[in-house]
């Protein structure tokens, strides 16, 4: 489960320290400063634990301004905020964490995380940019909490991202992951095991695990976080626990060449004696069910590659 203690610490720091600072020194701009905790760092996801506190850990907030307000008073606000941080050494903000917190423009926050020069003023993301955006970076851009945003400019762009991919991009991303899943787990894994090439088979195995998780997030219309938190977030979303159970079993399954003795590869037959093949097919059936629920496909064929043309019909 997520742990929001650090987010709550930051909210309390804002209410007790940063908010009075703004009210005392920048009263005329108070309703133009968006404040919250979001962006890079496991604390923004609620995944902070004692092991991850050995680096980039501390209490602070983000203060988001428009480009115009940054020119008008951003430098003074930044100086005042940094002095406040220095007065509270217990906050333990490292140099790197200071870069992730403090005063920044709305444009720079989103553009830096997503790696694209975004038009935050006009609330627009081009199709080309949507194609290039990374799943986990999108999760980073919309995590955490916004404590205050009277102006609404920061939250409006956040809402645009939270509305998820445009339909065309969504379908294209689904197709990309379907191809990865099918190629790695439903075809090439069996070929590699038949050849006794266990290194290649393991690569197919792990690529398939990743693709299965990415497809689940796409079906849930959620952005997956950084890879080390992907399964944790999937397990939170999987309320009945079946999909996450099979993903975990698949990830932990051993390669066993004894299941392939005397077998030659055939695309017509599945070697369900191999636990990896069996679990891959179970996950494929669940993914087919979810795609049917979304109206993406009509038939129930568990070989995912066969659904690509049907899913892409809208894009033609």
């Amino acid at each position: 489960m997520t742990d929001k203690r650090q987010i709550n610490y930051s909210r309390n720091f804002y209410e007790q320290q940063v908010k009075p600072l703004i009210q005392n020194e920048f009263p005329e701009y108070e309703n133009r400063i968006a404040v919250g905790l979001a962006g890079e760092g496991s604390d923004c996801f609620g995944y902070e634990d004692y092991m991850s506190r050995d680096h980039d850990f501390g209490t602070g907030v983000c203060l988001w301004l428009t480009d115009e307000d940054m020119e008008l008073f951003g430098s003074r606000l930044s100086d005042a905020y940094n002095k406040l941080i220095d007065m509270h050494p217990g906050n333990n903000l490292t140099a790197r964490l200071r870069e992730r917190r403090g005063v920044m423009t709305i444009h720079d926050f989103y553009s830096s995380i997503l790696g694209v020069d975004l038009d935050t003023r006009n609330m627009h993301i081009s199709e080309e940019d949507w194609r290039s955006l990374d799943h986990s970076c999108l999760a980073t851009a919309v995590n955490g909490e916004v404590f205050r945003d009277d102006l609404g400019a920061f939250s409006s762009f956040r809402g645009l991202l939270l509305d998820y991919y445009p339909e065309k991009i969504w379908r294209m991303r689904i197709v990309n992951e379907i191809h990865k899943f099918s190629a790695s787990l439903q075809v090439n894994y069996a070929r590699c095991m038949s050849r006794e090439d266990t290194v290649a088979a393991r690569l197919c195995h792990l690529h398939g695990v990743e693709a299965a998780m990415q497809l689940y997030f796409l079906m849930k219309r959620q952005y997956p976080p950084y890879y080390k938190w992907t399964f944790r977030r999937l397990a939170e979303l999987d309320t009945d626990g079946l999909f996450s159970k099979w993903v975990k079993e698949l990830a932990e399954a051993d390669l066993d060449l004894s299941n392939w003795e005397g077998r030659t590869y055939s695309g017509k037959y599945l070697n369900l004696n191999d636990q990896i093949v069996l679990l891959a097919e179970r996950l494929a059936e669940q993914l087919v069910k979810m795609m049917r629920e979304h109206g993406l496909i009509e038939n129930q064929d568990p070989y995912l590659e066969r659904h690509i043309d049907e899913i892409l019909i809208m894009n033609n």
Side-chain angles (χ1 to χ4, degrees), residues 51-309:
M51 279 188 289
S52 57
R53 292 180 184 181
D54 63 346
H55 69 290
D56 302 326
F57 173 76
T59 300
V61 296
C62 302
L63 299 99
W64 298 290
L65 307 178
T66 64
D67 291 344
E68 295 81 4
D69 285 343
M70 178 61 83
E71 292 184 9
L72 185 61
F73 64 91
S75 179
R76 290 186 290 123
L77 178 61
S78 184
D79 288 343
Y81 174 80
N82 289 331
K83 288 179 182 177
L84 179 65
I85 289 294
D86 292 337
M87 290 170 57
H88 295 78
N91 287 355
N92 297 320
L93 265 68
T94 63
R96 185 180 180 191
L97 193 56
R98 282 176 182 259
E99 294 176 358
R100 297 176 176 178
R101 310 287 183 258
V103 180
M104 63 195 81
T105 65
I106 297 167
H107 169 271
D108 288 352
F109 173 82
Y110 287 116
S111 296
S112 175
I113 290 175
L114 297 177
V116 174
D117 185 12
L118 294 164
D119 186 0
T120 54
R121 182 197 300 271
N122 295 310
M123 294 282 298
H124 175 71
I125 302 176
S126 69
E127 181 177 311
E128 181 180 358
D129 285 344
W130 272 118
R131 288 172 183 264
S132 70
L133 296 180
D134 178 79
H135 298 294
S136 64
C137 290
L138 283 160
T140 300
V142 298
N143 65 12
E145 293 184 10
V146 179
F147 307 149
R148 178 171 182 175
D149 186 8
D150 297 4
L151 195 63
F154 180 84
S155 297
S156 292
F157 200 82
R158 181 181 173 92
L160 174 64
L161 297 176
L162 285 169
D163 283 343
Y164 209 61
Y165 297 115
E167 180 79 10
K168 180 178 180 180
I169 304 301
W170 180 55
R171 288 173 178 256
M172 291 177 64
R173 296 218 166 192
I174 290 170
V175 164
N176 289 340
E177 298 300 333
I178 280 177
H179 179 70
K180 291 177 188 176
F181 182 90
S182 290
S184 60
L185 272 184
Q186 295 187 298
V187 177
N188 289 328
Y189 171 78
R191 289 180 174 180
C192 293
M193 290 297 284
S194 297
R195 297 186 186 114
E196 299 186 6
D197 186 347
T198 54
V199 174
R202 181 64 81 191
L203 289 173
C204 293
H205 173 208
L206 296 179
H207 282 309
V209 171
E210 182 181 29
M213 291 194 291
Q214 294 292 342
L215 282 165
Y216 185 86
F217 278 95
L218 284 161
M219 293 300 101
K220 293 293 184 179
R221 301 184 70 86
Q222 296 277 331
Y223 303 123
Y226 189 52
Y227 70 90
K228 69 177 180 178
W229 301 119
T230 300
F231 178 73
R232 178 171 176 170
R233 179 60 181 146
L234 185 150
E236 291 173 351
L237 292 173
D238 184 19
T239 54
D240 65 19
L242 186 60
F243 196 92
S244 56
K245 174 179 179 291
W246 286 340
V247 166
K248 190 172 189 294
E249 289 178 0
L250 176 60
E252 295 176 348
D254 293 327
L255 300 186
D256 188 351
L257 285 173
S258 68
N259 291 319
W260 296 86
E261 291 179 1
R263 286 179 176 266
T264 57
Y265 172 77
S266 171
K268 296 180 180 180
Y269 304 102
L270 295 173
N271 182 4
L272 297 178
N273 291 324
D274 187 306
Q275 187 73 355
I276 290 174
V277 175
L278 176 63
L279 289 166
E281 292 307 305
R282 286 178 177 175
L283 289 170
E285 289 173 1
Q286 288 296 306
L287 289 167
V288 166
K289 179 181 177 181
M290 296 171 79
M291 287 189 286
R292 282 168 55 84
E293 290 171 352
H294 278 292
L296 291 166
I297 60 176
E298 293 184 355
N299 69 70
Q300 301 183 51
D301 192 331
Y303 181 51
L304 300 191
E305 187 82 12
R306 293 198 180 101
H307 299 294
I308 286 179
D309 289 343

Side-chain angles (χ1 to χ4, degrees), residues 4-20 35-37 59-61 144-148:
K4 293 190 175 182
R5 281 180 294 181
Q6 192 57 38
I7 292 176
N8 291 334
Y9 291 153
S10 293
R11 180 187 289 275
N12 291 337
F13 179 62
Y14 164 65
E15 293 290 347
Q16 298 170 12
Q17 302 292 334
V18 180
K19 185 176 180 179
V35 185
L37 182 68
T59 300
V61 296
E145 293 184 10
V146 179
F147 307 149
R148 178 171 182 175

